[in-house]
Amino acid sequence: MIQLNAKQFVPAVCLLYSQMVAAQSATIALTIDANTTFQTIDNFGASDAWACQFVGNWPDAKKNAIADWLFSLDTMSNGNPKGIGLSLWRFNLGAGSSQQANASGIKDEWRRAGSFLETDGSYNWNRQAGEQWFLTAARQRGVNNFLAFYNSPPVQFTKNKQAFAAVKGQSNIDSTQYTAWAAYTVKALAAIQQKHAIRFNYISPINEPQWDWSDGGQEGCPFTNQQISGAVKALSRQLQQHKLPTKILLGEAGNIKYLLKEDDKPGKGNQVNDFWQRASPNYVGNLVPLAKVIAGHSYFSTAPYQQSVTLRKELATRVAAVNGLTFWQTEYCILGDNEGEISGNKRDTGMQSALYLARTLHTDLAIANAAAWQWWLAISPYDYKDGLIYIDKSKTDGNYYDSKMLWALGNYSRFIRPGMQRVAASFPATTTDCFVSAYRDSKLHKLVAVIVNTGKATYSLNIQLPAGKRTKHLTQMTSYTTGVSSRLARQQVTGSLDIQPESIVTLVIPYQ
């Protein structure tokens, strides 16, 4: 045993503390090469499913506050962002299960969705009032990109007249109904445009076609690639016939592995080649209204981490082989147990889930070259890691709560705006718990770097820029930090910048 007298104790403690600090902090070089470029960012988004049908009818003050968190680009008096500035909003066109009520077979009414198509074949453009409120709230706050999507075709067109499959794994719509479904879709898009002066940039007709969608947990419909090809061709004809400029978004694979291979879903995988290779019988790449995008979901593909990196490298290579094609990650929340890394069960408004989200975001952007990244439930009433904002499960009024996942997404969405281009950025190879990606705004002459520190160490940044991209003044750099006690907290950087443990930092750097 070592014994210290009073005179020895204080210096010894100070020495021990300094040694601990030194062990938990390090200076690392952040290298940014703005001349080496990758994908151009299109958007960051989230979905209105399913809570907006109710929250859109909540008291004005509350739903406006929620909309501000999601869409606002304003700043508060302390300089911190008011919201995360999403640049795309996903609008659920819906299959009409909410009109069917209990007869829908979907027990949880919060997982049902409305439709403008009535059972008698007439249209009611006043339905989905709550969702329409959020649609206009997004536009009022500067959102210019809108995507309409289905989980299932409207029940009027399905085989069992319900919004989920009667037979496990088999499509719930006959090919003879494709044209009628497409005609209704185009009519709905045009009606919303006329009513709200909002044009949908994209329509995503088919969602996660690989899953069985027969348990009645929510709206859903399986499709084979052949069936998708037929449905998309019918929709393409209707869009062209009515001269609607909306582009079709294809894919929305339930796991990004299905973009690359058949795996356990014969006829429903290998979608990059099946839809975009001219020799494929399911080729649709020549359709004029088709966006040059293949979309997939990052569910069940984020762990173990090194395997997720390998999968995304393969995806980036496959997509790059098709001239002009880009990859979008269009739906994610924390599902499953992720190989023990983190469980989707139980609501978490703190940093554990936020850091996992940020690492996934980083990997999709910096490894898979995703040009867009979209979250699933913008607003959730559930005890699950699926919401950016959480609410009491009340249809008329209640409390609402932000999560650190909201602000973690904001570290990207607020500062990386549509049209910015990802550029080369790196830490030393020995740095395994801190991740960085960077983006260039050529019009505003600024670089944006997003740093995710998942570890326990503090990192002091030594920023290195190549010749030809000198910053105007390092004192003009600004950082925005999301951490245990901060939500995009703004700081003017006048000297070195410390990246605190378990934090996400966005660094805005003006350049000449």
Side-chain angles (χ1 to χ4, degrees), residues 77-347:
S77 58
N78 61 3
N80 294 351
K82 191 174 186 179
I84 69 169
L86 293 178
S87 47
L88 178 139
W89 187 237
R90 294 177 64 101
F91 179 86
N92 187 1
L93 274 174
S97 58
S98 66
Q99 283 105 301
Q100 293 178 316
N102 291 336
S104 69
I106 299 173
K107 294 181 180 179
D108 184 355
E109 63 180 319
W110 285 72
R111 288 176 178 258
R112 302 170 191 159
S115 171
F116 299 116
L117 186 58
E118 301 287 22
T119 55
D120 62 0
S122 63
Y123 306 102
N124 183 352
W125 306 118
N126 293 320
R127 285 201 179 275
Q128 296 184 274
E131 296 96 323
Q132 290 192 64
W133 186 90
F134 272 94
L135 193 66
T136 58
R139 184 197 55 190
Q140 290 165 358
R141 290 163 175 81
V143 178
N144 294 316
N145 290 318
F146 296 93
L147 184 154
F149 72 97
Y150 286 109
N151 288 325
S152 162
V155 295
Q156 288 83 354
F157 307 124
T158 63
K159 294 176 181 178
N160 62 359
K161 304 305 177 187
Q162 290 184 306
F164 59 94
V167 180
K168 185 177 181 180
Q170 293 188 18
S171 183
N172 197 27
I173 181 171
D174 190 83
S175 60
T176 59
Q177 293 292 326
Y178 289 168
T179 298
W181 174 26
Y184 163 71
T185 301
V186 170
K187 192 174 186 67
L189 297 177
I192 294 174
Q193 181 174 332
Q194 183 177 10
K195 183 176 180 179
H196 296 297
I198 292 176
R199 178 176 67 83
F200 282 98
N201 307 75
Y202 306 98
I203 169 65
S204 176
I206 293 162
N207 181 71
E208 297 185 342
Q210 294 82 18
W211 305 147
D212 292 333
W213 297 122
S214 58
D215 63 358
Q218 66 170 78
E219 295 185 345
C221 185
F223 286 87
T224 64
N225 290 350
Q226 182 181 23
Q227 291 165 336
I228 292 172
S229 179
V232 166
K233 288 173 182 175
L235 180 56
S236 175
R237 288 191 293 269
Q238 289 294 318
L239 287 168
Q240 289 182 286
Q241 180 180 330
H242 291 85
K243 296 181 172 57
L244 210 62
T246 302
K247 294 290 185 180
I248 301 170
L249 184 70
L250 192 61
E252 302 266 20
N255 184 316
I256 60 176
K257 68 180 180 180
Y258 296 125
L259 300 179
L260 304 174
K261 55 189 177 182
E262 294 273 332
D263 203 71
D264 57 340
K265 299 294 180 180
K268 299 179 180 181
N270 196 26
Q271 290 188 321
V272 172
N273 287 349
D274 228 15
F275 294 137
W276 292 99
Q277 294 293 342
R278 291 182 181 276
S280 168
N282 299 319
Y283 174 69
V284 291
N286 60 338
L287 299 180
V288 174
L290 191 65
K292 203 80 181 277
V293 173
I294 189 71
H297 301 171
S298 282
Y299 297 128
F300 314 116
S301 67
T302 60
Y305 178 67
Q306 287 306 319
Q307 288 186 21
S308 77
V309 169
T310 300
L311 178 63
R312 283 157 177 79
K313 286 181 178 179
E314 183 181 354
L315 175 60
T317 299
R318 183 76 64 85
V319 171
V322 180
N323 185 38
L325 187 65
T326 59
F327 164 63
W328 286 15
Q329 193 295 124
T330 50
E331 188 178 311
Y332 181 73
C333 69
I334 300 175
L335 293 181
D337 65 1
N338 299 286
E339 302 293 332
E341 290 185 353
I342 190 171
S343 170
N345 290 321
K346 299 298 180 183
R347 181 183 299 188

Side-chain angles (χ1 to χ4, degrees), residues 351-367:
M351 284 303 296
Q352 181 189 27
S353 296
L355 289 168
Y356 198 85
L357 158 62
R359 192 189 75 174
T360 299
L361 235 167
H362 166 83
T363 310
D364 286 337
L365 292 169
I367 307 298

Side-chain angles (χ1 to χ4, degrees), residues 464-476:
Q464 300 179 358
L465 298 173
K469 289 294 179 187
R470 301 296 184 189
T471 55
K472 291 180 179 178
H473 301 287
L474 288 181
T475 54
Q476 290 185 8

